Amino acid sequence: MTITTPKGFRASGVAAGLKASGGADVALVVNDGPDFTAAGVFTGNRVKAAPVLWSQQVLKGRVLRAVVLNSGGANACTGTQGFRDTHATAEHVAAALRGAPKPTLIGAGDVAVCSTGLIGELLPMDRLLPGVTAAVKALTADGGPAAAEAIMTTDTVAKNAVHTSADGWTVGGIAKGAGMLAPALATMLVVVTTDAVAGPDALDAALREATRLTFDRIDADGCMSTNDTVLLLASGASGVQPEQDELTAAVTAVCHDLAQQLIADAEGATKHIAIEVVGAASESDAVMVGREVARNNLVKTALFGNDPNWGRILAAVGVTSAVFEPDRVDVAINGVWVCRGGAAAEDRSKVDLSGRDVRITVHLHEAEMSATIWTTDLSHAYVHENSAYSS
Amino acid sequence: MTITTPKGFRASGVAAGLKASGGADVALVVNDGPDFTAAGVFTGNRVKAAPVLWSQQVLKGRVLRAVVLNSGGANACTGTQGFRDTHATAEHVAAALRGAPKPTLIGAGDVAVCSTGLIGELLPMDRLLPGVTAAVKALTADGGPAAAEAIMTTDTVAKNAVHTSADGWTVGGIAKGAGMLAPALATMLVVVTTDAVAGPDALDAALREATRLTFDRIDADGCMSTNDTVLLLASGASGVQPEQDELTAAVTAVCHDLAQQLIADAEGATKHIAIEVVGAASESDAVMVGREVARNNLVKTALFGNDPNWGRILAAVGVTSAVFEPDRVDVAINGVWVCRGGAAAEDRSKVDLSGRDVRITVHLHEAEMSATIWTTDLSHAYVHENSAYSS
């Protein structure tokens, strides 16, 4: 059910005192092999946190032996000292693993680092490093859920997922992230493991396609984080080498599961909204239209108020450069076609918005391409949570 | 102090029963000449309301004799019937002016129409047309403030402005708009009048430059309306023909005044925020960065919470394609340089956010270009007002 379900992985989660709450805040994932191939996808934000810059460098070697993650501080916008701290954390992980009763002989360059929390402050290294030592000691073959808990920030539930193939290999994952879920990712940390045999190119292709179709299509508040990281590690411990298509499908299934858990737990959300754009001239048009609707504060507040205000949806479509004619667009909300040909159609009072799940369908009537973007409403709780977060 | 301050204009505002509140909801502005030159700027949204499509056509003649405006309904996404209704409204204005005790001999093609209110519903023509008749009867040479009141929707105060030149000509304006204030305009209706002598090219140049520097730089919630309209009418009644620079400066001054009134009255705002971007490689870079910060919900909620969370500002800058290096950016909040070189600098506790006015300065250290975008915070009141508006 998690990252330690695939064979060849150990994990742990411990409390190092980074979080004011005293909860678990340092997680460790170790790949015991026999393979150590890996791939990663990172935030598109040009302001990248130190751990992102570090992990991007590490991934150039296409090998990962361990991933250390902390909540309680993003180590973003922290200058050269922040980067030195990330480096020191990776060194500490490697040294502790080398010195463990069952030694793992690795260097800092085999260790990815992920951080999440407030931007702009240095991490308290005097607490983080002892936490890393404790996390190494706590490593177990069923430590996935503990790791998933240790990376939570404003998440209300830990996120785990798994996908098992009929021929004996498995993909598992953990994720955190509840705000800042955005276009190309969000302060979203995701670790996906598999015991399939797969080279780095196969992993990279699988992860990029999975990310494109899942994490890149959830958008809670349109804000792109400085720390987004999605890592995929393969141990090869199953001895089975799947076809590329099978690998991609399994990684996508786990990423989809995690993405839906993320959006379901987005900060202050009262609605889980799917925006399905059909009849588009291209997939990118469909994604563009879906994302614009997903980010429109007037649409999001209307849905919070259970108001099927389709005019705001049309106004959002109208600011895109997608191919469409305003007088040919149809809009359905939860199956009721409130707008046909750009004007009022079925009675909007027929729309039932009392439940948590909302499906908006925008039909552009241009061609056959489609895409779905998932988002949330904009609620009082969102404002409250984000106005009080750092103070 | 308003659109009837320049010589040659009459205006009125009456209650036609379009608004549930029973307040004034139909406004009329008439240019009595001797000149009737005009210019207009309209929403960039591709989903344009019927009155926008109509007024764009009318403006091709570069002459306007009258502008009729209604609140209580946007007449947007209303199909061919909506367009017929706009046309009928203009015909009715022209007929009523021709039949008035002091007849104005015009046709529908001389009448611009502006509407604001809920999208997607037809206007109640049985109430609007009698309202137009009443508005014609109510026309007076000091009716500007009444017109300004009649176009209010969620505005809490009417917006009027004036600029008088030393050599005897004047520019006046009225505006409405409190939500949906966005990039290239917003459900923002603005009428600006002048008694200067100015040809349509001069008016067009003055209005485009004024709009670019004022209305295009306020952004309350990033949502672009279907109905935004800014009209400039010249009567020539002063007999003075100013230089182009003088005309542009005067129109810009009135538009700036109105724009600041709009942002000050934005729905649910508790902060009036100026985002000043300096040291940019180009003006468009500065505008791009300012707008991205202005639209970032995490920045806006932080400011609502009096939280000088500069990391969120940097993260917003990072999603733009502007020329900048993350480790060279400085950020000040109300004069305190909380971020230098992309990392923490002065103590954030020194930032005083207790007042309504907030100034964020982002220094990109690339070149000498700059721009300022004005926005608001994202408050509980914004969510409340926009979740309850149409229901």
Side-chain angles (χ1 to χ4, degrees):
Chain A
M1 56 155 292
T2 177
I3 43 167
T4 43
T5 308
K7 290 184 282 288
F9 294 94
R10 288 176 295 156
S12 62
V14 300
L18 306 178
K19 277 180 184 164
S21 68
D25 45 23
V26 174
L28 187 62
V29 184
V30 173
N31 182 355
D32 289 320
D35 297 343
F36 307 105
T37 47
V41 174
F42 300 91
T43 181
N45 199 312
R46 292 167 62 198
V47 176
K48 294 186 205 304
V52 169
L53 296 171
W54 170 264
S55 298
Q56 283 183 316
Q57 260 185 272
V58 165
L59 254 295
K60 286 187 182 155
R62 310 173 94 199
V63 159
L64 272 187
R65 295 295 300 266
V67 183
V68 61
L69 311 93
N70 74 273
S71 52
N75 197 5
C77 306
T78 45
T80 49
Q81 184 59 47
F83 193 80
R84 279 196 290 266
D85 288 346
T86 291
H87 186 175
T89 306
E91 288 283 6
H92 197 85
V93 169
L97 283 169
R98 285 194 304 267
K102 182 193 166 194
T104 306
L105 299 177
I106 66 171
D110 303 313
V111 182
V113 181
C114 303
S115 301
T116 178
L118 189 63
I119 302 175
E121 293 185 358
L122 290 169
L123 291 172
M125 296 302 286
D126 56 329
R127 275 172 274 167
L128 176 56
L129 296 185
V132 168
T133 307
V136 169
K137 286 189 183 140
L139 283 169
T140 65
D142 57 2
E149 284 208 19
I151 58 175
M152 290 165 65
T153 53
T154 54
D155 305 65
T156 64
V157 292
K159 283 103 180 167
N160 294 275
V162 77
H163 180 275
T164 303
S165 293
D167 46 349
W169 57 280
T170 301
V171 177
I174 62 171
K176 72 74 52 177
M180 272 197 162
L181 294 175
L185 313 181
T187 291
M188 199 175 74
L189 302 182
V190 179
V191 180
V192 179
T193 57
T194 181
D195 50 17
V197 175
D201 287 342
L203 293 178
D204 189 68
L207 188 62
R208 286 189 188 280
E209 178 69 358
T211 300
R212 191 177 75 80
L213 294 173
T214 60
F215 300 121
D216 275 357
R217 295 199 180 169
I218 59 176
D219 195 327
D221 59 14
C223 301
M224 195 194 296
S225 149
T226 51
N227 288 58
D228 301 326
T229 303
V230 183
L231 300 172
L232 172 58
L233 290 72
S235 71
S238 71
V240 181
Q241 181 165 3
E243 296 293 318
Q244 181 72 52
D245 285 359
E246 295 175 281
L247 180 67
T248 300
V251 173
T252 303
V254 167
C255 289
H256 178 77
D257 188 339
L258 293 171
Q260 292 299 312
Q261 292 182 54
L262 290 173
I263 203 81
D265 194 28
E267 284 172 355
T270 75
K271 303 287 186 191
H272 189 120
I273 303 163
I275 299 161
E276 179 188 28
V277 181
V278 302
S282 65
E283 187 179 348
S284 62
D285 269 13
V287 169
M288 187 197 306
V289 167
R291 191 161 281 159
E292 195 68 39
V293 174
R295 288 189 187 175
N296 188 289
N297 279 352
L298 291 171
V299 171
K300 292 162 85 83
T301 47
L303 292 172
F304 170 61
N306 292 338
D307 175 7
N309 195 327
W310 59 267
R312 292 179 178 180
I313 296 170
L314 229 62
V317 176
V319 306
T320 71
S321 60
V323 178
F324 80 97
E325 294 300 325
D327 59 0
R328 293 215 324 240
V329 178
D330 298 342
V331 177
I333 305 177
N334 280 349
V336 180
W337 290 93
V338 286
C339 168
R340 292 246 189 225
E346 286 187 69
D347 188 347
R348 41 170 279 159
S349 68
K350 288 184 189 164
V351 179
D352 179 6
L353 284 171
S354 58
R356 187 175 175 91
D357 288 319
V358 177
R359 173 163 291 265
I360 292 171
T361 310
V362 177
H363 199 319
L364 299 178
H365 289 288
E366 292 292 337
E368 304 299 317
M369 302 309 289
S370 64
T372 300
I373 301 288
W374 287 272
T375 188
T376 57
D377 56 339
L378 176 53
S379 67
H380 285 301
Y382 175 88
V383 173
H384 176 73
E385 194 152 349
N386 284 297
S387 60
Y389 181 57
S390 83
S391 45
Chain B
M1 56 155 292
T2 178
I3 43 168
T4 43
T5 308
K7 289 183 282 285
F9 294 93
R10 287 177 296 156
S12 62
V14 300
L18 306 177
K19 275 182 185 165
S21 68
D25 44 24
V26 174
L28 187 62
V29 183
V30 173
N31 182 356
D32 289 321
D35 298 343
F36 307 106
T37 47
V41 174
F42 300 91
T43 180
N45 199 310
R46 291 168 61 200
V47 176
K48 293 185 205 304
V52 169
L53 295 171
W54 170 265
S55 298
Q56 283 184 316
Q57 260 184 274
V58 165
L59 254 295
K60 286 186 183 156
R62 313 173 93 197
V63 158
L64 272 188
R65 295 296 300 266
V67 183
V68 60
L69 311 93
N70 75 273
S71 51
N75 196 6
C77 306
T78 45
T80 50
Q81 185 58 47
F83 192 80
R84 278 195 292 265
D85 288 346
T86 291
H87 186 174
T89 305
E91 288 285 6
H92 197 85
V93 169
L97 283 169
R98 284 193 305 266
K102 182 193 164 195
T104 307
L105 298 175
I106 66 171
D110 303 314
V111 181
V113 181
C114 302
S115 300
T116 178
L118 189 64
I119 302 175
E121 295 185 357
L122 291 168
L123 291 172
M125 296 302 286
D126 57 330
R127 276 172 273 168
L128 176 57
L129 296 185
V132 168
T133 307
V136 170
K137 285 187 186 143
L139 282 170
T140 64
D142 58 1
E149 284 208 19
I151 58 174
M152 289 165 65
T153 53
T154 54
D155 305 64
T156 64
V157 292
K159 283 102 181 166
N160 296 274
V162 76
H163 180 273
T164 303
S165 292
D167 46 348
W169 56 279
T170 301
V171 177
I174 61 170
K176 70 78 49 179
M180 270 196 164
L181 295 174
L185 312 181
T187 291
M188 198 175 75
L189 302 182
V190 179
V191 180
V192 178
T193 57
T194 180
D195 50 17
V197 175
D201 287 341
L203 294 178
D204 189 68
L207 188 61
R208 287 190 188 280
E209 178 68 358
T211 301
R212 191 178 75 79
L213 293 174
T214 60
F215 300 122
D216 276 357
R217 297 200 178 168
I218 59 175
D219 194 329
D221 58 13
C223 301
M224 195 195 294
S225 149
T226 51
N227 289 58
D228 300 325
T229 303
V230 183
L231 299 172
L232 172 58
L233 290 74
S235 71
S238 71
V240 181
Q241 181 165 0
E243 295 293 318
Q244 180 72 52
D245 284 359
E246 295 175 281
L247 180 66
T248 300
V251 173
T252 302
V254 167
C255 290
H256 178 77
D257 188 338
L258 293 172
Q260 291 299 313
Q261 291 182 54
L262 290 172
I263 204 79
D265 194 28
E267 284 172 355
T270 75
K271 302 288 184 191
H272 189 119
I273 304 163
I275 299 161
E276 178 187 30
V277 181
V278 302
S282 66
E283 185 177 349
S284 62
D285 268 12
V287 169
M288 186 197 306
V289 167
R291 191 161 279 157
E292 195 67 39
V293 174
R295 288 189 184 174
N296 188 288
N297 279 352
L298 292 172
V299 172
K300 291 160 87 84
T301 46
L303 291 172
F304 170 61
N306 292 338
D307 175 6
N309 195 328
W310 59 268
R312 292 179 178 180
I313 297 169
L314 230 60
V317 176
V319 306
T320 71
S321 60
V323 177
F324 81 96
E325 293 300 326
D327 59 359
R328 293 214 324 238
V329 178
D330 297 343
V331 176
I333 304 177
N334 281 349
V336 180
W337 290 94
V338 286
C339 169
R340 293 250 189 220
E346 287 188 67
D347 188 347
R348 40 171 280 160
S349 69
K350 287 185 190 164
V351 179
D352 179 6
L353 284 171
S354 59
R356 187 175 176 91
D357 288 319
V358 177
R359 173 162 292 266
I360 292 172
T361 310
V362 177
H363 199 319
L364 299 179
H365 289 288
E366 291 292 337
E368 303 300 316
M369 302 308 289
S370 63
T372 300
I373 300 288
W374 288 272
T375 188
T376 57
D377 56 339
L378 176 54
S379 66
H380 285 301
Y382 175 89
V383 173
H384 176 74
E385 194 152 350
N386 285 297
S387 60
Y389 180 57
S390 83
S391 45

